[in-house]
Amino acid sequence: MNRTFIDHTVRQCRNLDGLWDFVTDPEDMGLTQEWQKQFPANHGQMYVPACWNNELGLYDYRGAAWYRTRINVSGEQNLQIIFHAVQGFAQVYWDGEQVAGHFGGFTPFSFVVSHAVPGVHELVIRTDNRLGEDTIPYHAVDWFHYGGIIRPVEVQVLPDIFIEGLKMEYSQGSDGQLETSCRVTLRSLGEAASVPVALTLDGVTIGEQTVGVPANGTVHAAFSHTLPNPRLWDVGRPELYMVRAATPEDDLADRIGFRFIRAAEGKIYLNGKEIRFQGVNRHEEHPEWGFAFPPKLMTKEIALLKELGCNSVRGSHYPQSPYWIDLLDENGLLYWSEIPIWGAHLPVEATGNPVLEERARTMIGEMIRRDFHHPCILFWSVHNEIDTRSQEALHLSQSLSGLVRELDQSRLVAYATMHPLTDIVMGCFDVIGINYYHGWYNGKVEQFADMLAGFHKHAASLGCADKPVLMTEFGGAGIYGDTGWEPRLFSEDYQAEILAKALRIFRGDPKLSGTFIWQFADIRGDLRSERGFFRDRARSFNNKGLLNEYRKPKLAYRVVRDIYRADRYPLTE
Ligand code: ADA
């Protein structure tokens, strides 16, 4: 399942889940030997979607790997093949010819085969999950960098005139109604033609027009509609609508929620009501599935978040599954979405690399295009812990925040800094996130009060006192099961103590709009650092989860639950 709802009822779609032919290419011979034309006979098999690292013998394989499957086309057909996410740099071949390429691991890409002839066709993909100086993320990153086709590959049969896209925007009318405008993009794979297009909202027709589509071209059709008495989406009140475009031969549906976000005077308002965030950071990772995270476990995680008393989640640090974000929409939980510029070990000169900037701009475009209609997403965040004291970071922040504002004026532009007292980029953003680990990496947890006082002073000196600020990361490690009578480093007791003391300070600061604890669950990771204060990744995991990697609660989960559920922030229920 790619979504929690059906996005096509007319168009034929199916996922190519299952065993594909598979072979690693550690010597990088496949391109010169043209494996796309002559797949190695000694290949094995790999499940799609999956991470190859979860298979025997491939745990820490980083490099190129090749996949092959076959698609039987019965009659002449137009096909669209969608890769919902492939880790790394991917090159795609159809019957031996390259038809697509994509960089990055968490956003979809696709290609169309126009008028495929009947018979068996070969789909081959080469992907390389190595990270380097100008990859996103940079090669030093604090999670286990899996490889593979981590989300479904989908085949769709298209008519000659098909619906390529749907984008609905909306604004508040003078007396509570909504003014909606929807752009439907149609594309022709053959002759020019005129097609009738109907647009519905929850099954009610809100627009009909006949649209002329040029031969082998695309056209945008605009629909506007006033929606009286809209049911606004809100925390704990997941009011959702299905918007659907249809022609006699095709259809495309997406789900939308209507709500209004505003940042002003240091606060964040949702539908005019101040929101204070009670959140956690969530990696979409599990030791047995890697990044190929099973939908069943996502539903359990929603339950664990609501049990914890959360009203929000930060998707650290990359675009997460559409299915997951659908669940957040359906449960009235707020969401912070970001691209994976993980900057704690990113050198300043790499921050200024134009290749990195261009790749980041592409990823931002793909993230926003894919997730534009999700009401739960309030923030688009463009980088995490780059050196925001540098001119390079300022240039990158201006470029990326500017792009987000071009693409989407309905959400807040954010970032997370680990230099709150010396940051020079905060003026580019609507919301400031602070990642700081007093009580773990440095100092005592009580020092958070001074850090915040210093930050507010620094923000005011930059003319940014009116920008809302969130603690987007803080915490410490607790090894699951390590409990005792004294709060030792790495004990569950000490982890719980840090969080209880930090939350008391943060929730007492009226200038803070909320907290995202680092982190929801333990994740694999073996980032090393020579810096004395850096706590190593015991057992090759990042152990700062409130839950262990199998989603079993530590003492910290119970302590945070008592705090998050005690106050009457707008909770989900
Ligand atoms: C940083 C980073 C996280 C994680 C965390 C930690 O804040 O953003 O991804 O690495 O530190 O555990 O140290």
Side-chain angles (χ1 to χ4, degrees):
M1 277 299 284
N2 306 339
R3 305 299 299 270
T4 62
F5 57 87
I6 303 297
D7 51 2
H8 295 283
T9 50
V10 175
R11 188 182 296 182
Q12 295 172 46
C13 309
R14 67 187 175 94
N15 284 348
L16 298 176
D17 291 7
L19 289 172
W20 290 35
D21 297 338
F22 174 83
V23 64
T24 57
D25 185 6
E27 311 303 323
D28 254 341
M29 297 188 298
L31 289 172
T32 47
Q33 294 179 3
E34 295 195 310
W35 289 3
Q36 72 275 17
K37 297 180 190 297
Q38 191 62 43
F39 206 82
N42 63 340
H43 64 75
Q45 290 202 302
M46 179 62 62
Y47 197 85
V48 169
C51 297
W52 63 59
N53 316 80
N54 295 118
E55 299 308 309
L56 291 182
L58 292 173
Y59 170 72
D60 51 6
Y61 178 66
R62 296 201 178 179
W66 294 71
Y67 292 78
R68 177 183 65 181
T69 191
R70 294 184 175 87
I71 295 176
N72 190 356
V73 174
S74 49
E76 185 176 285
Q77 283 179 333
N78 305 314
L79 300 178
Q80 176 165 246
I81 316 280
I82 304 172
F83 291 87
H84 284 283
V86 180
Q87 278 300 299
F89 180 69
Q91 294 154 283
V92 182
Y93 305 88
W94 179 258
D95 293 338
E97 297 306 317
Q98 180 158 359
V99 289
H102 185 261
F103 170 84
F106 304 98
T107 45
F109 63 101
S110 63
F111 70 95
V112 171
V113 182
S114 175
H115 303 100
V117 297
V120 178
H121 296 267
E122 278 207 349
L123 175 62
V124 172
I125 177 168
R126 172 191 187 276
T127 186
D128 184 341
N129 76 326
R130 279 170 290 196
L131 297 174
E133 296 294 321
D134 55 13
T135 56
I136 298 178
Y138 185 66
H139 61 74
V141 69
D142 191 14
W143 59 80
F144 190 97
H145 207 70
Y146 295 92
I149 302 177
I150 64 167
R151 295 179 194 153
V153 179
E154 186 178 6
V155 179
Q156 301 183 342
V157 179
L158 302 177
D160 275 357
I161 306 275
F162 71 98
I163 301 168
E164 188 173 59
L166 174 73
K167 179 177 181 183
M168 177 173 268
E169 297 179 88
Y170 57 91
S171 57
Q172 200 133 31
S174 51
D175 52 1
Q177 85 281 16
L178 279 190
E179 302 302 341
T180 70
S181 60
C182 188
R183 187 186 70 195
V184 178
T185 303
L186 297 151
R187 180 175 161 193
S188 162
L189 296 173
E191 302 304 313
S194 289
V195 290
V197 182
L199 189 68
T200 59
L201 192 63
D202 273 3
V204 175
T205 300
I206 59 170
E208 289 180 298
Q209 54 182 289
T210 298
V211 181
V213 188
N216 295 304
T218 58
V219 68
H220 298 306
F223 294 79
S224 56
H225 172 70
T226 298
L227 179 62
N229 312 314
R231 304 186 315 276
L232 294 186
W233 187 93
D234 210 312
V235 173
R237 203 180 64 223
E239 297 288 0
L240 294 165
Y241 292 76
M242 285 304 294
V243 54
R244 181 174 182 265
T247 69
E249 295 183 307
D250 196 19
D251 71 335
L252 170 60
D254 200 358
R255 198 167 60 184
I256 191 168
F258 302 113
R259 48 100 187 93
F260 295 92
I261 313 159
R262 191 168 60 91
E265 302 95 40
K267 308 284 183 200
I268 297 173
Y269 297 90
L270 180 64
N271 300 327
K273 188 165 73 276
E274 183 192 354
I275 286 282
R276 293 194 72 185
F277 295 81
Q278 302 197 141
V280 290
N281 284 272
R282 176 215 187 233
H283 265 285
E284 191 161 83
E285 190 261 8
H286 185 283
E288 297 308 318
W289 283 277
F291 286 149
F293 203 88
K296 153 66 193 97
L297 191 51
M298 293 178 197
T299 53
K300 172 132 185 209
E301 295 206 324
I302 292 288
L304 290 169
L305 288 171
K306 295 173 83 168
E307 170 63 21
L308 186 59
C310 289
N311 62 4
S312 46
V313 191
R314 177 175 180 229
S316 49
H317 291 285
Y318 36 76
Q320 302 193 345
S321 296
Y323 195 92
W324 168 246
I325 307 175
D326 286 342
L327 291 174
L328 295 171
D329 286 339
E330 290 172 11
N331 287 276
L333 290 164
L334 303 168
Y335 192 58
W336 164 306
S337 189
E338 62 185 46
I339 62 167
I341 295 186
W342 191 87
H345 291 205
L346 182 69
V348 165
E349 53 280 2
T351 306
N353 181 343
V355 172
L356 182 134
E357 178 183 348
E358 197 42 49
R359 286 175 162 173
R361 291 176 66 90
T362 302
M363 281 189 177
I364 286 168
E366 293 175 350
M367 173 174 68
I368 293 176
R369 190 163 37 255
R370 188 193 74 170
D371 295 336
F372 187 80
H373 291 136
H374 287 286
C376 68
I377 299 175
L378 303 192
F379 310 101
W380 297 123
S381 180
V382 300
H383 51 63
N384 177 75
E385 295 195 352
I386 67 173
D387 187 342
T388 58
R389 300 165 297 183
S390 69
Q391 288 303 315
E392 291 82 350
L394 181 58
H395 168 81
L396 187 64
S397 299
Q398 289 162 341
S399 168
L400 302 187
S401 62
L403 176 63
V404 172
R405 291 198 170 95
E406 276 171 42
L407 298 174
D408 184 357
Q409 299 78 36
S410 73
R411 291 180 172 90
L412 302 175
V413 190
Y415 76 116
T417 182
M418 61 182 184
H419 300 289
L421 307 181
T422 48
D423 177 288
I424 64 166
V425 309
M426 63 176 78
C428 301
F429 297 94
D430 298 320
V431 174
I432 302 155
I434 298 176
N435 295 357
Y436 222 77
Y437 287 85
H438 272 328
W440 184 255
Y441 288 130
N442 48 50
K444 294 193 174 310
V445 65
E446 290 77 7
Q447 291 174 259
F448 269 126
D450 290 344
M451 184 279 282
L452 284 174
F455 166 75
H456 293 313
K457 191 160 167 254
H458 177 56
S461 74
L462 296 179
C464 295
D466 66 336
K467 291 187 188 293
V469 54
L470 295 159
M471 282 306 299
T472 35
E473 287 188 36
F474 59 96
I479 303 283
Y480 181 72
D482 179 346
T483 60
W485 298 103
E486 59 290 319
R488 283 174 299 99
L489 273 182
F490 282 95
S491 66
E492 287 190 32
D493 313 84
Y494 184 59
Q495 179 192 28
E497 181 181 288
I498 294 175
L499 290 172
K501 288 182 176 177
L503 284 171
R504 195 169 297 119
I505 294 169
F506 299 148
R507 294 164 79 90
D509 182 340
K511 292 183 182 176
L512 272 188
S513 290
T515 53
F516 290 88
I517 294 167
W518 187 268
Q519 63 176 329
F520 180 62
D522 292 348
I523 59 166
R524 283 193 195 281
D526 48 12
L527 184 70
R528 296 281 174 225
S529 166
E530 302 324 313
R531 288 177 287 186
F533 59 78
F534 189 88
R535 305 295 171 198
D536 72 334
R537 294 287 178 263
R539 66 188 190 111
S540 289
F541 274 77
N542 182 317
N543 300 285
K544 300 186 186 72
L546 300 178
L547 305 161
N548 78 354
E549 63 273 23
Y550 293 100
R551 278 64 182 168
K552 306 298 181 193
K554 302 177 192 174
L555 174 60
Y557 180 94
R558 296 180 170 91
V559 165
V560 169
R561 178 179 56 187
D562 290 348
I563 295 170
Y564 271 6
R565 295 189 73 90
D567 283 347
R568 302 318 302 160
Y569 286 169
L571 295 180
T572 53
E573 58 190 10

